[in-house]
Amino acid sequence: GNGVHAGASRSLASCLVASGVRNFSLAGSPAYSSLLGFSVQNLRFALPGVRKPAAVVLPASRRDLRRAVLCARRAAAAIRVRSGGHSYEGQSYTVAGAALGDGGAPFVVVDLMNLNRVRVDAASATAWAESGATLGEVYHAVARTASPNGSSSSSSLAFAAGSCSTVGVGGHVSGGGFGLLSRKFMLAADNVLDALLVDAEGRVLNRGAMGEDVFWAIRGGGGGSWGVVYAWKLRLVPVPDTVTVFTPSREGSVDAIAGLVHRWQFVGPALPDEFYLSVFLTIGGASQEDTNVTVSFTGLVLGPRELAMSVLSERFPELGLAATELSEMSWVESAAQFAGLGSAEELTSRVSKTKHYGKNKSDYVRQPVARDALAAILRYLSAGPAGYVILDPYGGAMARAGATDTPFPHRAGNLYGVQYGVTWDADDDGEARMSWLRALYAYMAPHVSSGPRAAYVNYIDLDLGTVAATAAANRSATAVDRARETWGASYFSAENFDRLVRAKTRIDPANVFNNAQSIPPLQRHD
Ligand code: FDA
C-alpha cells in the first residue's frame, strides 16, 4: 500500500543522496510525470490504471548506475531498467499488477537516457556505445567519423541494427536487433565484441569477468534478466559511400497484390546479401466502393542504382520497378529516411514525433504461403481496424549463423519474419483492437512456424505467457519448465532457453532482475 511505497521512497532517496546520485525524481514531485512519460513509447502503459514507480532515477555516470542498483535493493524496491522505452509491453517501466501475484511491491525505474555517449574508433572499426544511446545517436556518431582508410576510401562505416531512430541500443541489442543491413551483417547482437554489465551486487563485469555463458546470454536473451548493460562494444561494418533506396507502392485487385506478395516470398529471402526488400501491408482501410488493396515495399541496396535495377528487373520483373523510383544517397541519409526523418541531423533527436496506443505480435514463415491463402489474408487485413503487417526478409547472412550461436534462433530455414501491429488513439476501443489482433494471429496459425510457434523477443508479446499467469495455471511444473513451454521455446528454442537458464542462475540467482517474461533461475529444488 501507500505506506510501503512512502517508506521505500524515503529510504531510496536518502540512500541516493548519501551516495551522491543527484538526478532522481520521486512520485508526486514536480518533474516526475514528465521524466517517467518521456520514454513511454506505448500510451497503453501511460493510462492511470497502470502502476507507477516510486521513483525515476537517471544515472549520469557508471558510478551513479551502480549506486542506483544498490540503493534500489537496499530499499527493497524492484528495478526496471529503461534505455529507449520501446518495449511493446512496457516492460522497462511497469510491473505486473497485484492481481498477477507480485503483491504490489514498490519499484524504481532506472532510466539510462543520460548515459548516451558513443565513442567511435574508426581505425579499429569499433565503437563503445552507452546503453541509453538511441539507434539514431549511434548511426549519427558512426557516420560522422572519417572512413578508416582516409578520404580516398569509397566505403564508409555503419552499424547493423533496426530502423526506428529512437529505439534504445540497450533494449535493442539485448533482444537481437534486426534491420536493413541484417541480410549482409546479421543482427546488432551478432556485432557485439564486449560489454560492461552491472550485476545485482553492483559489480561492473566485462566479457572476461562475466564469462562466456553470460556474454552469450546478454546478446539476444532479452533485456531485463541479467543486470544492467552499461555499455556495448560494437563492431562497425563497411558500406559503400553510395547506397540505393526505393519504397515503391503498388495498388491492385486482391488477386493481383496476392500474386505480387506470393512472388516476393521466393525473391526477397534469396536476393544477394547486399539487397533488402521487405513488404508492408496495411490493416484496415477497406471501403465498400474500393475493392483494391495496396502493398508497399521497402528496399535498400548496398550499391549503385544500376546494380539494383539490373538484379531486381531480372529476379522480380512482376514488381515493375522504374529507375525513377530509386534514389542514391549515403547510408546515414538512408537510415534517416527509413526512420521517417527529414535529414541525418534529426537522427540525434530522442523525441518520438507520434505516440500511439498499440499491441504487436510476431511470427516466422518457413514455407511460402499459397497464393489463394495470401488473397484471403489480404481480405482479412483490409476489413480490420488500423495497423500494419511487415514481412522482413531473412536468408543471406542471417541463414549462415547457427541457431545456437546466440540466443536468437531464427536463422537458416526461415524465409521471413512477420510483425503484426494494431494502433489506436485515446477515443478508440483498445480492447476490441487487441481482440481483433489475437483473432488474426489465430487465423494465421496454419501458415506460419509451429512446434513451437516461433516469435521474436524484441517484439515482446505477453499473450505467449507470463511468469505469474503460468504459475497460477500449473502449480506442479517448475518455473523453468513453464517458461520453456510458453514463451521460452518460442523466442529462443528449447535448447537455447536451457542455456539462458544456466546463465541466469550464474549471474542473478536471486532473480533481482526480472519482468513478466524474464529468464527464471534454477531453484534448489528444480
Ligand atoms: P526499453 O527501454 O523498453 O527496454 C526493453 C527491455 O530491455 C526491457 O525489458 C528493459 O528492462 C530491458 N533493458 C533496457 N535497457 C537495458 C539495459 N541497458 N540493460 C539490460 N536490460 C535493458 N526491433 C528490431 O529488431 N528492429 C526494428 O527495426 C525495430 N523497430 C522498432 C520500432 C518501434 C517504433 C518500436 C516501438 C520497436 C521497434 N523494435 C525493433 C523493437 C525494439 O528492438 C525493442 O522494443 C527493444 O527492446 C527496444 O529497446 P529500448 O531500449 O528502446 O526499450
Side-chain angles (χ1 to χ4, degrees):
N2 279 337
V4 176
H5 284 254
S9 295
R10 266 197 310 278
S11 94
L12 178 75
S14 58
C15 179
L16 290 170
V17 168
S19 316
V21 180
R22 280 185 238 298
N23 203 358
F24 64 91
S25 183
L26 301 180
S29 68
Y32 170 86
S33 293
S34 64
L35 287 175
L36 178 62
F38 181 76
S39 292
V40 170
Q41 306 290 354
N42 187 342
L43 295 177
R44 183 152 62 98
F45 304 103
L47 292 171
V50 177
R51 277 186 54 209
K52 302 292 186 281
V56 182
V57 187
L58 298 102
S61 64
R62 189 167 87 182
R63 175 180 157 283
D64 276 4
L65 174 57
R66 299 177 50 217
R67 293 184 175 180
V69 168
L70 293 173
C71 286
R73 292 200 67 191
R74 195 165 307 162
I79 298 169
R80 289 294 178 271
V81 187
R82 184 163 74 173
S83 288
H86 281 259
S87 167
Y88 283 132
E89 299 279 14
Q91 292 303 292
S92 52
Y93 53 89
T94 65
V95 293
L100 281 177
D102 78 346
F107 72 106
V108 174
V109 170
V110 177
D111 188 310
L112 307 184
M113 73 167 96
N114 292 334
L115 293 176
N116 65 339
R117 281 158 292 219
V118 182
R119 195 156 42 83
V120 179
D121 180 38
S124 64
T126 60
W128 271 102
E130 288 181 327
S131 277
T134 61
L135 296 182
E137 288 172 330
V138 174
Y139 295 161
H140 188 264
V142 169
R144 212 179 38 203
T145 310
S147 62
N149 307 319
S151 54
S152 63
S153 165
S154 63
S155 75
S156 322
L157 290 175
F159 180 58
S163 45
C164 174
S165 60
T166 54
V167 164
V169 76
H172 189 68
V173 175
S174 294
F178 181 91
L180 290 106
L181 300 182
S182 293
R183 297 191 64 258
K184 174 86 176 163
F185 299 111
M186 302 188 279
L187 306 172
D190 293 320
N191 290 289
V192 170
L193 300 167
D194 201 343
L196 294 173
L197 177 73
V198 176
D199 75 0
E201 312 305 325
R203 294 176 302 181
V204 182
L205 308 173
N206 68 7
R207 177 176 185 166
M210 74 181 84
E212 282 304 305
D213 269 351
V214 176
F215 184 63
W216 178 88
I218 62 173
R219 292 171 297 146
S225 282
W226 319 103
V228 188
V229 176
Y230 158 69
W232 306 92
K233 185 180 185 184
L234 308 174
R235 181 198 293 122
L236 306 179
V237 298
V239 290
D241 283 341
T242 303
V243 303
T244 302
V245 169
F246 47 105
T247 54
S249 277
R250 297 292 181 261
E251 194 189 324
S253 68
V254 166
D255 286 332
I257 299 304
L260 203 51
V261 176
H262 183 253
R263 238 350 259 152
W264 171 85
Q265 298 178 104
F266 297 87
V267 174
L271 283 166
D273 298 4
E274 290 71 28
F275 284 65
Y276 170 93
L277 183 66
S278 65
V279 169
F280 185 97
L281 302 169
T282 304
I283 295 176
S287 69
Q288 265 155 3
E289 313 86 67
D290 189 5
T291 52
N292 277 359
V293 293
T294 303
V295 57
S296 305
F297 294 87
T298 301
L300 174 69
V301 174
L302 299 176
R305 188 200 308 250
E306 296 72 42
L307 175 72
M309 273 307 283
S310 69
V311 170
L312 286 163
S313 55
E314 188 194 314
R315 302 234 193 155
F316 200 12
E318 299 86 348
L319 180 59
L321 197 59
T324 51
E325 290 180 301
L326 309 172
S327 321
E328 290 184 337
M329 60 186 76
S330 68
W331 166 74
V332 74
E333 287 165 343
S334 81
Q337 179 167 328
F338 292 125
L341 304 172
S343 75
E345 286 314 304
E346 292 174 46
L347 285 168
T348 56
S349 169
R350 299 184 69 95
V351 180
S352 299
K353 283 184 186 153
T354 50
K355 290 185 177 182
H356 296 283
Y357 300 77
K359 166 77 188 162
N360 294 67
K361 300 177 83 69
S362 65
D363 262 321
Y364 282 90
V365 172
R366 302 174 68 92
Q367 302 291 336
V369 179
R371 184 175 167 156
D372 58 346
L374 281 169
I377 292 165
L378 288 174
R379 281 192 205 93
Y380 195 118
L381 296 179
S382 69
Y388 53 85
V389 176
I390 298 170
L391 313 182
D392 258 326
Y394 278 42
M398 287 297 294
R400 291 196 291 275
T404 60
D405 289 357
T406 69
F408 179 99
H410 317 297
R411 309 278 185 167
N414 289 285
L415 293 175
Y416 54 96
V418 184
Q419 180 182 185
Y420 315 90
V422 288
T423 56
W424 63 91
D425 293 316
D427 296 340
D428 300 319
D429 182 349
E431 287 302 326
R433 303 276 165 119
M434 290 194 283
S435 301
W436 185 89
L437 183 67
R438 290 178 183 122
L440 170 66
Y441 187 74
Y443 179 83
M444 290 299 293
H447 307 298
V448 298
S449 68
S450 59
R453 186 169 180 175
Y456 177 27
V457 69
N458 262 353
Y459 300 158
I460 186 169
D461 175 9
L462 296 189
D463 295 352
L464 298 177
T466 63
V467 175
T470 51
N474 183 354
R475 289 181 191 285
S476 60
T478 66
V480 167
D481 290 336
R482 292 190 303 262
R484 186 196 302 106
E485 282 156 25
T486 51
W487 72 91
S490 293
Y491 289 147
F492 308 114
S493 82
E495 181 183 351
N496 285 350
F497 178 79
D498 286 340
R499 185 169 174 193
L500 289 170
V501 169
R502 292 196 296 277
K504 172 72 175 183
T505 309
R506 175 159 311 159
I507 192 71
D508 185 24
N511 204 17
V512 169
F513 292 97
N514 65 76
N515 60 50
Q517 279 184 349
S518 57
I519 304 294
L522 283 171
Q523 305 295 323
R524 228 162 315 180
H525 58 264
D526 282 344

